[in-house]
Protein backbone atom coordinates (compact mmCIF):
# COMPACT_ATOMS: atom_id res chain seq x y z
CA UNK A 1 0.00 0.00 0.00
CA UNK A 2 2.84 2.40 0.82
CA UNK A 3 4.47 1.65 -2.55
CA UNK A 4 1.19 2.21 -4.40
CA UNK A 5 0.71 5.49 -2.55
CA UNK A 6 4.17 6.71 -3.58
CA UNK A 7 3.59 5.73 -7.21
CA UNK A 8 0.31 7.67 -7.26
CA UNK A 9 2.08 10.69 -5.79
CA UNK A 10 4.78 10.42 -8.46
CA UNK A 11 2.19 10.01 -11.24
CA UNK A 12 0.32 13.09 -10.06
CA UNK A 13 3.54 15.13 -9.92
CA UNK A 14 4.58 14.02 -13.42
CA UNK A 15 1.08 14.75 -14.70
CA UNK A 16 1.21 18.29 -13.37
CA UNK A 17 4.57 18.85 -15.09
CA UNK A 18 3.34 17.49 -18.42
CA UNK A 19 -0.21 18.81 -18.48
CA UNK A 20 -1.78 20.11 -15.29
CA UNK A 21 -5.28 19.89 -16.78
CA UNK A 22 -5.09 16.08 -16.60
CA UNK A 23 -4.65 16.01 -12.83
CA UNK A 24 -8.04 16.34 -11.07
CA UNK A 25 -8.46 19.45 -9.00
CA UNK A 26 -7.70 18.76 -5.36
CA UNK A 27 -6.03 15.41 -6.05
CA UNK A 28 -2.88 16.45 -4.19
CA UNK A 29 -4.89 17.47 -1.14
CA UNK A 30 -6.79 14.19 -1.25
CA UNK A 31 -3.52 12.26 -1.30
CA UNK A 32 -2.12 14.22 1.62
CA UNK A 33 -5.27 13.53 3.66
CA UNK A 34 -5.36 9.80 2.91
CA UNK A 35 -2.76 8.55 5.46
CA UNK A 36 -4.59 10.27 8.31
CA UNK A 37 -7.92 8.81 7.14
CA UNK A 38 -6.33 5.37 6.94
CA UNK A 39 -4.81 5.55 10.43
CA UNK A 40 -8.11 6.68 11.97
CA UNK A 41 -10.05 3.95 10.19
CA UNK A 42 -7.49 1.31 11.15
CA UNK A 43 -7.59 2.32 14.82
CA UNK A 44 -11.38 2.12 14.85
CA UNK A 45 -11.85 -1.06 12.80
CA UNK A 46 -9.07 -3.10 14.43
CA UNK A 47 -11.25 -3.47 17.53
CA UNK A 48 -14.13 -4.82 15.42
CA UNK A 49 -12.25 -7.21 13.14
CA UNK A 50 -12.56 -10.24 15.43
CA UNK A 51 -16.34 -9.79 15.58
CA UNK A 52 -16.51 -9.68 11.77
CA UNK A 53 -14.39 -12.83 11.55
CA UNK A 54 -16.75 -14.56 13.98
CA UNK A 55 -19.78 -13.46 11.95
CA UNK A 56 -18.24 -15.09 8.87
CA UNK A 57 -16.95 -18.22 10.58
CA UNK A 58 -19.49 -20.56 9.00
CA UNK A 59 -18.86 -19.39 5.42
CA UNK A 60 -17.62 -22.19 3.16
CA UNK A 61 -17.00 -20.11 0.03
CA UNK A 62 -16.35 -16.43 -0.66
CA UNK A 63 -16.94 -14.37 -3.78
CA UNK A 64 -15.49 -10.84 -3.91
CA UNK A 65 -16.78 -8.40 -6.51
CA UNK A 66 -15.68 -4.92 -7.56
CA UNK A 67 -15.00 -2.78 -10.61
CA UNK A 68 -12.39 -0.33 -11.88
CA UNK A 69 -9.35 0.22 -9.64
CA UNK A 70 -10.85 -1.94 -6.91
CA UNK A 71 -10.48 -5.12 -8.91
CA UNK A 72 -7.11 -5.22 -7.14
CA UNK A 73 -9.00 -5.02 -3.82
CA UNK A 74 -11.29 -7.89 -4.82
CA UNK A 75 -8.37 -10.09 -5.90
CA UNK A 76 -6.28 -9.34 -2.82
CA UNK A 77 -9.30 -9.81 -0.56
CA UNK A 78 -10.07 -13.20 -2.08
CA UNK A 79 -6.44 -14.26 -1.65
CA UNK A 80 -6.45 -13.17 2.01
CA UNK A 81 -9.61 -15.15 2.78
CA UNK A 82 -8.38 -18.18 0.83
CA UNK A 83 -5.15 -18.26 2.85
CA UNK A 84 -6.64 -17.57 6.26
CA UNK A 85 -9.81 -19.69 6.33
CA UNK A 86 -10.95 -23.19 5.51
CA UNK A 87 -13.15 -21.79 2.72
CA UNK A 88 -12.54 -21.21 -0.96
CA UNK A 89 -12.48 -17.69 -2.37
CA UNK A 90 -12.56 -16.13 -5.83
CA UNK A 91 -12.70 -12.58 -7.20
CA UNK A 92 -14.86 -11.36 -10.10
CA UNK A 93 -15.65 -8.11 -11.88
CA UNK A 94 -19.26 -7.29 -10.97
CA UNK A 95 -20.47 -7.77 -14.55
CA UNK A 96 -18.60 -11.05 -14.91
CA UNK A 97 -20.13 -12.27 -11.64
CA UNK A 98 -23.62 -11.78 -13.07
CA UNK A 99 -22.89 -13.84 -16.18
CA UNK A 100 -22.33 -17.29 -14.72
CA UNK A 101 -20.73 -17.33 -11.25
CA UNK A 102 -23.90 -15.94 -9.61
CA UNK A 103 -25.46 -19.33 -10.31
CA UNK A 104 -23.14 -20.86 -7.70
CA UNK A 105 -24.39 -18.63 -4.88
CA UNK A 106 -26.42 -20.08 -2.05
CA UNK A 107 -26.55 -20.69 1.68
CA UNK A 108 -23.20 -21.03 3.37
CA UNK A 109 -21.58 -18.68 0.88
CA UNK A 110 -20.64 -15.02 1.23
CA UNK A 111 -20.48 -12.24 -1.33
CA UNK A 112 -18.16 -9.36 -0.42
CA UNK A 113 -19.04 -6.29 -2.49
CA UNK A 114 -16.49 -3.49 -2.78
CA UNK A 115 -18.85 -0.59 -3.48
CA UNK A 116 -16.33 2.24 -3.67
CA UNK A 117 -17.18 5.43 -5.58
CA UNK A 118 -17.27 4.87 -9.34
CA UNK A 119 -19.57 4.44 -12.34
CA UNK A 120 -20.58 0.88 -11.36
CA UNK A 121 -21.19 1.55 -7.66
CA UNK A 122 -24.98 1.15 -7.90
CA UNK A 123 -24.57 -1.98 -10.02
CA UNK A 124 -22.43 -3.46 -7.26
CA UNK A 125 -25.04 -2.56 -4.63
CA UNK A 126 -27.83 -4.11 -6.68
CA UNK A 127 -25.73 -7.24 -7.14
CA UNK A 128 -25.26 -7.42 -3.39
CA UNK A 129 -29.01 -7.13 -2.83
CA UNK A 130 -29.69 -9.82 -5.39
CA UNK A 131 -27.14 -12.13 -3.77
CA UNK A 132 -28.87 -11.70 -0.42
CA UNK A 133 -32.19 -12.66 -2.03
CA UNK A 134 -30.57 -15.82 -3.37
CA UNK A 135 -29.59 -16.74 0.20
CA UNK A 136 -25.92 -15.84 0.45
CA UNK A 137 -24.41 -13.80 3.22
CA UNK A 138 -23.48 -10.35 1.93
CA UNK A 139 -20.88 -7.91 3.21
CA UNK A 140 -20.66 -4.48 1.56
CA UNK A 141 -17.73 -2.08 1.83
CA UNK A 142 -19.05 1.39 0.97
CA UNK A 143 -18.55 5.05 1.91
CA UNK A 144 -20.32 6.01 5.11
CA UNK A 145 -22.39 8.64 3.29
CA UNK A 146 -23.84 6.08 0.86
CA UNK A 147 -27.20 4.46 1.59
CA UNK A 148 -26.75 0.69 1.59
CA UNK A 149 -29.43 -2.03 1.70
CA UNK A 150 -30.98 -2.86 5.06
CA UNK A 151 -30.17 -6.08 6.94
CA UNK A 152 -29.70 -9.02 6.41
CA UNK A 153 -27.02 -7.35 4.28
CA UNK A 154 -23.98 -6.46 6.43
CA UNK A 155 -21.90 -3.37 5.73
CA UNK A 156 -18.65 -1.72 6.74
CA UNK A 157 -18.73 2.08 6.64
CA UNK A 158 -15.61 3.41 4.90
CA UNK A 159 -14.41 7.04 5.03
CA UNK A 160 -16.29 9.27 2.61
CA UNK A 161 -14.89 11.68 0.05
CA UNK A 162 -12.03 9.44 -1.11
CA UNK A 163 -11.42 9.61 -4.91
CA UNK A 164 -12.03 6.32 -6.71
CA UNK A 165 -8.44 6.06 -7.95
CA UNK A 166 -7.00 5.87 -4.44
CA UNK A 167 -9.76 3.89 -2.69
CA UNK A 168 -7.93 0.54 -3.15
CA UNK A 169 -5.29 1.78 -0.70
CA UNK A 170 -7.97 2.09 1.97
CA UNK A 171 -10.60 -0.51 1.09
CA UNK A 172 -8.20 -3.43 1.46
CA UNK A 173 -7.55 -2.60 5.14
CA UNK A 174 -10.73 -4.18 6.63
CA UNK A 175 -10.21 -7.33 4.54
CA UNK A 176 -6.62 -7.61 5.79
CA UNK A 177 -7.79 -7.28 9.39
CA UNK A 178 -10.67 -9.74 8.98
CA UNK A 179 -8.28 -12.20 7.32
CA UNK A 180 -5.84 -11.81 10.21
CA UNK A 181 -8.56 -12.62 12.74
CA UNK A 182 -9.84 -15.51 10.61
CA UNK A 183 -6.33 -16.98 10.57
CA UNK A 184 -6.17 -16.85 14.37
CA UNK A 185 -9.66 -18.37 14.64
CA UNK A 186 -8.71 -21.31 12.39
CA UNK A 187 -5.47 -22.02 14.26
CA UNK A 188 -3.16 -20.55 11.65
CA UNK A 189 -0.12 -18.38 12.26
CA UNK A 190 -1.01 -15.17 10.35
CA UNK A 191 2.65 -14.58 9.55
CA UNK A 192 3.47 -18.09 8.34
CA UNK A 193 0.02 -19.56 7.51
CA UNK A 194 0.67 -23.22 6.60
CA UNK A 195 4.44 -23.07 6.19
CA UNK A 196 5.07 -24.72 9.58
CA UNK A 197 3.07 -27.81 8.69
CA UNK A 198 5.34 -30.76 7.74
CA UNK A 199 3.77 -31.33 4.32
CA UNK A 200 4.10 -27.64 3.43
CA UNK A 201 7.69 -27.58 4.67
CA UNK A 202 8.51 -30.42 2.29
CA UNK A 203 6.69 -28.67 -0.56
CA UNK A 204 8.49 -25.38 -0.01
CA UNK A 205 11.85 -27.12 0.31
CA UNK A 206 11.23 -28.28 -3.25
CA UNK A 207 9.88 -24.97 -4.51
CA UNK A 208 12.38 -22.74 -2.70
CA UNK A 209 15.55 -24.82 -2.92
CA UNK A 210 18.46 -23.02 -1.25
CA UNK A 211 16.25 -20.67 0.80
CA UNK A 212 17.44 -20.98 4.44
CA UNK A 213 13.90 -20.41 5.71
CA UNK A 214 12.97 -23.83 4.37
CA UNK A 215 16.24 -25.79 4.40
CA UNK A 216 17.02 -25.11 8.02
CA UNK A 217 20.48 -23.82 7.11
CA UNK A 218 21.71 -20.41 8.18
CA UNK A 219 22.59 -18.03 5.38
CA UNK A 220 26.28 -17.13 5.17
CA UNK A 221 25.55 -13.79 3.54
Amino acid sequence: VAAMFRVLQLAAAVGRLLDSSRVPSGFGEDMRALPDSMHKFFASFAAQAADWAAALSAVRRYFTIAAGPNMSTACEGALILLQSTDAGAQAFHVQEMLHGPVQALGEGMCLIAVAAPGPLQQRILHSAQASALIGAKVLILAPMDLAVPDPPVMSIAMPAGIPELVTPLLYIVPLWLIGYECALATGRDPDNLSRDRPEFKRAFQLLMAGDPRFTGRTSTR
Side-chain angles (χ1 to χ4, degrees), residues 5 30-43 159 162 170:
F5 181 79
D30 292 329
M31 291 292 290
R32 282 190 287 274
L34 184 64
D36 186 55
S37 296
M38 183 179 292
H39 284 301
K40 288 179 179 177
F41 176 79
F42 186 98
I162 307 295
L170 181 60

Side-chain angles (χ1 to χ4, degrees), residues 71-160:
M71 279 309 301
S72 63
T73 310
C75 291
E76 175 75 359
L79 177 61
I80 291 163
L81 294 166
L82 183 64
Q83 290 178 324
S84 62
T85 73
D86 294 318
Q90 195 167 0
F92 293 97
H93 188 279
V94 59
Q95 298 291 54
E96 182 185 5
M97 180 70 190
L98 300 177
H99 292 280
V102 68
Q103 302 293 329
L105 278 176
E107 292 185 7
M109 301 183 186
C110 178
L111 181 93
I112 297 179
V114 185
L120 289 179
Q121 186 181 59
Q122 287 300 316
R123 185 65 163 167
I124 292 170
L125 289 178
H126 291 158
S127 300
Q129 287 180 282
S131 299
L133 292 174
I134 291 171
K137 280 192 171 186
V138 172
L139 173 59
I140 300 173
L141 278 63
M144 61 179 61
D145 58 355
L146 180 71
V148 298
D150 293 329
V153 170
M154 302 178 290
S155 64
I156 295 174
M158 304 299 296

Side-chain angles (χ1 to χ4, degrees), residues 119-207:
L120 289 179
Q121 186 181 59
Q122 287 300 316
R123 185 65 163 167
I124 292 170
L125 289 178
H126 291 158
S127 300
Q129 287 180 282
S131 299
L133 292 174
I134 291 171
K137 280 192 171 186
V138 172
L139 173 59
I140 300 173
L141 278 63
M144 61 179 61
D145 58 355
L146 180 71
V148 298
D150 293 329
V153 170
M154 302 178 290
S155 64
I156 295 174
M158 304 299 296
I162 307 295
E164 181 187 18
L165 184 61
V166 300
T167 52
L169 304 180
L170 181 60
Y171 276 57
I172 193 57
V173 172
L175 298 181
W176 274 338
L177 290 170
I178 290 171
Y180 177 86
E181 295 293 345
C182 284
L184 294 178
T186 54
R188 291 170 169 82
D189 177 346
D191 295 315
N192 292 300
L193 298 174
S194 299
R195 289 190 309 196
D196 290 335
R197 292 163 56 183
E199 64 273 27
F200 278 86
K201 281 186 177 181
R202 292 193 296 270
F204 279 105
Q205 284 170 358
L206 173 64
L207 293 170

